[in-house]
Amino acid sequence: MAHPLEHAFPFVRKIIESGYNAYIVGGAVREFLMGKIPTEYDIATNIPSTKLRKLFPNAKPVYPEKYGVFELKLQNGVKLEFARMREDINYTGRHSDIVFTDSIEKDLKRREITINAIAYDIKTNSLIDPFNGKEDIEKKIIRTVGEPIVRFSEDKLRMLRAIRFAARFGFKLERKTENGIKRLAPAISELSTDAIRNELEKMLKDKSAARAIYILAKTDIIKAVFEIEIDKETLKKLLLSIRFLSKRTENVDTKWAVFFYFSHPNEKKIKEFMRERCKLKLINYIMKNIDFLETILNSEPEPEKVLDVIDNKNLPSLVLAANAVYFCKNRKQARYESRLIAKFPSIFSARLITGDDVKSILNASGRHIRKLLKAIRMNQLKGEISTKEEAIAKLIELNRLYEEGSN
């Protein structure tokens, strides 16, 4: 039977046959111990970069070459990453000085959590596990390598990574590790907004997003990042909504919108956190209109307000978010999409006429055109007109009524 790590064996052997040491480390070993077959392999070695490149000419540097990290992609989709074994010393913020080493134990010691600090030695077909990571996998716990306060103080982002791994695998944070995160949570503000957001979005994209939010709340990270308190009842609704979404989409922005809908950070904080204009626009559209969908379906609000909501390219994301919120509040399906289609049969259809059509037919421009276009679009969405000819006839009729009303 083939060994689960066999994809990396030929490359590790080639380095060893050249007179150097090489070990499979990190995520691949962790997945192997969890009964999975990896497709990405980290290989820790003491071979110099110049000699590595001669062995594997297709390997490309991942970081500045001084770090000695190279990536090699195979035709079967497998990816290998070779890195010089090193120690990290003299931390300044998240950055440290690096010293290359021949010791795999020293290289493993710099890794933040025990389940990622395991190496596989193909020469002896055995694990090198100085921090009992295998036992932690069996116990399903996330524990830091060394004292949590020290490791998290060196690099605050490690707190978020520990939470992400706990959520992803359904593991518990070991008590000292959890207490260390809670104690240092206020220091998360020392990280850049981009670094925090990138790590949180990895959590939100995963199917374990609800569990991640629960741990983030429990360890006071949400409080530190967004300057808010979420009460137990609201947190319960938020988690149910995120779980609902995670079964149906990986879309991070929809989950952000639901998170903000329940947690209510101040508007300035949301703007600071979501810097991309298109993301912020989508999130605000969803947050603003989640509750308004019920009004649209159960009454007859002002047509222009209705059109702003339902004639929007982001409507599917709004519908999904509203379904999630409705489900958590009422414990049953809202089925907003089918209800919208029942009221607006042509809701997802393309426009029948454009502003240019109106200009050429009526020789008019400006605000008058926009008003006519909206009226015709509403007629179309309601299923009252369905062809371009009908739209033009309706346009002429509405324009005549407008002119009569103006005289």
Side-chain angles (χ1 to χ4, degrees), residues 190-249:
E190 295 173 20
L191 295 171
S192 71
T193 300
D194 288 344
I196 296 171
R197 184 180 57 252
N198 289 344
E199 201 61 37
L200 294 183
E201 290 198 340
K202 289 177 186 176
M203 299 184 208
L204 286 180
K205 190 173 182 179
D206 200 86
K207 290 188 182 298
S208 63
R211 178 168 173 77
I213 291 173
Y214 171 75
I215 301 172
L216 289 165
K218 187 180 180 185
T219 54
D220 290 341
I221 293 291
I222 288 177
K223 179 181 177 181
V225 172
F226 296 106
E227 300 172 3
I228 52 174
E229 296 270 8
I230 305 178
D231 64 75
K232 287 184 179 180
E233 190 58 35
T234 301
L235 180 61
K236 186 177 179 181
K237 290 176 181 176
L238 169 59
L239 297 179
L240 280 170
S241 296
I242 296 295
R243 194 172 293 127
F244 180 99
L245 289 174
S246 295
K247 291 177 181 178
R248 293 159 176 82
T249 184

Side-chain angles (χ1 to χ4, degrees), residues 98-110:
I98 64 170
V99 177
F100 291 129
T101 178
D102 292 332
S103 167
I104 184 61
E105 286 80 8
K106 288 182 179 179
D107 184 82
L108 294 175
K109 188 177 180 180
R110 72 181 177 81

Side-chain angles (χ1 to χ4, degrees), residues 392-406:
I392 291 171
K394 191 69 176 177
L395 170 66
I396 293 169
E397 178 192 343
L398 290 174
N399 186 59
R400 178 178 56 78
L401 292 173
Y402 173 80
E403 289 179 341
E404 288 175 358
S406 300

Side-chain angles (χ1 to χ4, degrees), residues 296-345:
I296 290 172
L297 289 166
N298 295 323
S299 61
E300 295 295 334
E302 190 179 319
E304 286 200 13
K305 288 184 178 179
V306 173
L307 207 57
D308 286 343
V309 176
I310 67 171
D311 196 26
N312 188 300
K313 66 179 181 179
N314 295 315
L315 179 63
S317 296
L318 170 61
V319 167
L320 187 58
N323 279 334
V325 170
Y326 187 93
F327 177 78
C328 86
K329 290 180 177 179
N330 301 284
R331 300 296 194 278
K332 61 182 180 181
Q333 300 284 350
R335 307 196 185 283
Y336 280 117
E337 187 173 56
S338 58
R339 291 169 64 194
L340 282 167
I341 291 172
K343 187 165 185 175
F344 306 98

Side-chain angles (χ1 to χ4, degrees), residues 263-325:
S263 60
H264 300 297
N266 68 57
E267 196 173 321
K268 183 181 176 183
K269 197 70 183 174
I270 297 175
K271 283 182 179 178
E272 284 176 7
F273 201 75
M274 311 305 303
R275 291 179 183 172
E276 289 181 43
R277 192 165 174 236
C278 60
K279 287 169 74 76
L280 186 59
K281 191 173 180 180
L282 168 62
I283 288 166
N284 283 334
Y285 162 74
I286 293 174
M287 290 170 59
K288 179 182 176 183
N289 295 307
I290 282 177
D291 296 324
F292 190 51
L293 273 186
E294 277 292 336
T295 305
I296 290 172
L297 289 166
N298 295 323
S299 61
E300 295 295 334
E302 190 179 319
E304 286 200 13
K305 288 184 178 179
V306 173
L307 207 57
D308 286 343
V309 176
I310 67 171
D311 196 26
N312 188 300
K313 66 179 181 179
N314 295 315
L315 179 63
S317 296
L318 170 61
V319 167
L320 187 58
N323 279 334
V325 170

Side-chain angles (χ1 to χ4, degrees), residues 138-153:
E138 291 166 353
K139 290 181 177 179
K140 297 187 175 182
I141 62 171
I142 297 296
R143 182 167 57 89
T144 57
V145 173
E147 283 298 314
I149 294 295
V150 174
R151 301 319 305 274
F152 295 144
S153 295

